[in-house]
Amino acid sequence: MDLQSFAPGMRRCANGLGWAILALCALGALAAPVRAQNNFGLGPLSIRNQFPVTLAYLTYTPEAPATLPSGTVQLRYQFELTNTFINTQSPRANNPPVIDSSVVSGGLTPANFPATGYGAYIDVEARRHVLRLDYGLSDSLQAGLELAWVSFGGGFLDTKIQSVERFFGGLNKDRLYSGIDQYDFYVVRDGSFLRASNRPFSNVVQDPVLNLKWNLGEGGPVLPALTLKLSYKAPLQAHPTGDRALVASGGADWGYYVLLSKAVGDVVGHIQLGETHLDVAPNTFANRLRHRMFGLEFRLDSDNSFLLQSVTQSSIYLHTDVPGTMDFNISRPTDVMVVGYKHLTQSFLFETGAIEDYNQQRNESDITLYFSLGSRW
Amino acid sequence: MVTPTNPSAEPRGRATPGRPAPRTARALRAFARTLAAALPCALLLATLLGAAPQPAAAQSSTLYFLTVKHGVADASGSGENLFQTLATVHGPVQGARGVQTGAIELDIYSVSQGNAGLGVGIEVLGYDHAWLMQDGLKVHMRAKGVLFTFKTFLRLGNVFPFFGAGLGNYYVNFDESPGGPSLRDSPDAVYNVRVGTRILFGRLGLLLEAGNTRAQLPILTDAGRATLEAGGNYANAGLSWVF
């Protein structure tokens, strides 16, 4: 039998049956008996991108689609610890000039980086303390204020990260050409420093972020819960200087995000999409970041969940259409996997987790550990 | 982290001009057609099997399917013009366009709503393929993807025909050799739709599905700008463990 002569007909048949299945599934799902359904879950793990270059700007933070009940206040403290090592001029990168530990110890200048495009030497361990206050304006509208203090330094995680990476066979060999637990933060574009710091600092306040969350529907047996979120970063100073310029851009950034969640048995699926507009100086960084998150929340019981989510963010670096160069690579989107646990009762919140990059090219942090404590009244 | 490409990988479906299409390419096409043909048959069988008693696993309100899948994808679609662009300089591609894919998927179905329900699945897939252009240029593409899909399904006894739609991420390693550009990149947006059916045999299950993934990436080849499609139409068959 010549299968090829049957193929077009079979394909048409398969297509037709596919649409028939779609229609039947949709009708079946709509006809299913309605029952009480909590599509919110406890929400995804709530931690923003920690890449030191983006820390100065607003970015997307995954968030529970559920809003606080009217009149309810939630105060939350979060501690985040992030280790980043990036050397675009690594001896392994075939991208001269080369930077190794001896060059770093002598102090870096723009001459240590390519004359055109981006270059970066980032050896930073960042600690971030976040205070967040949320208030339920109504049962479906929530307003919030977030303030964070950031410290940059050499930290203590370098050797531990190398041990773990060796164990899994994924050692970032660029780390072998640099000192352990050192602090250096340099980003260059076209021969000029955008970031230049090798003096650790502690607890420098970032620009405050205002949030507004509006739940449009709790969904049902078929439809997901849907919430819109708006964020605005209000600059404390228009032109911050010194250490503060490293963690607060002074620009008025804003973003909008769509939060969807759907309960499927004991699991809640989360999808969140959005865009952040950055107030950046021309020809420095991208003025728009795109975000998408999808994740699974495994409900252990009504108060506890284990979560696994993937967060994608477009690069903060401007895209230059030159294949094979470092510019092209670092302007790729990055993906991180966030794994963690969440506990939420009517009056108490606890959350902890870790972020690991699984797709990046010198434009994302290596690992983040965090925990969060909160209270409601 | 994405591991570097392996430019030494041998192309599959290699052909010599003037000779019949290679056996590998033909086999690939035949496999795709067989799957496409098998799907309606499986659905018919599924409907007939619907009256059969349910396995123990199907009594639970939440079913988890851990599935190992194998299939084919055509890595082409509307707007894709990579090989047309390359053909202007290097001549037409030799052999089949399709690629063989492998995947692992975790599907979660909520079956507490009578004869229909919703599901959610996360899938990690990948392929590694090289094409040969007429002038000997080797185009090597290695792709990995993570797809997140919401599904709606019917429950016909042991059989679960479904429709799904979702989004995801793709990671593409692309290089032309000898001497061409080499890059790693990710499409800005990845969308995925699929139809198929699952059939349970106790704790084991059979999956047949077909669908389309849109994962387009603008790239700069040595022949000019082009759009690469990392996904395309696909058909998969898989075995599941149900718990």
Side-chain angles (χ1 to χ4, degrees), chain A residues 3 7 17 21-22 24-25 28 221 262 264-266 290 292 294-295 312 321 328 332 335 357-359 361, chain B residues 1-2 33-34 40 43 62 108 110 112 116 118 148 150 152 154 162-163 167-169 171 184-186 188 225:
Chain A
L3 190 59
L17 271 169
I21 291 173
L22 168 62
L24 280 170
C25 289
K262 182 78 197 80
V264 176
D266 302 328
R290 289 181 303 278
R292 65 177 179 269
F294 51 82
T312 302
D321 202 3
F328 189 85
R332 293 170 57 213
D335 300 280
D357 62 300
Y358 70 92
N359 173 48
Q361 184 62 33
Chain B
M1 299 278 283
V2 175
R33 291 188 185 107
T34 306
L43 291 171
T62 307
I108 300 143
S110 169
S112 56
L118 292 172
F148 186 79
F150 277 102
T152 174
L154 289 177
F162 64 84
F163 168 81
L167 44 76
N169 299 325
Y171 318 105
R184 290 181 284 179
D185 210 335
S186 308
D188 279 342
R225 291 176 188 277

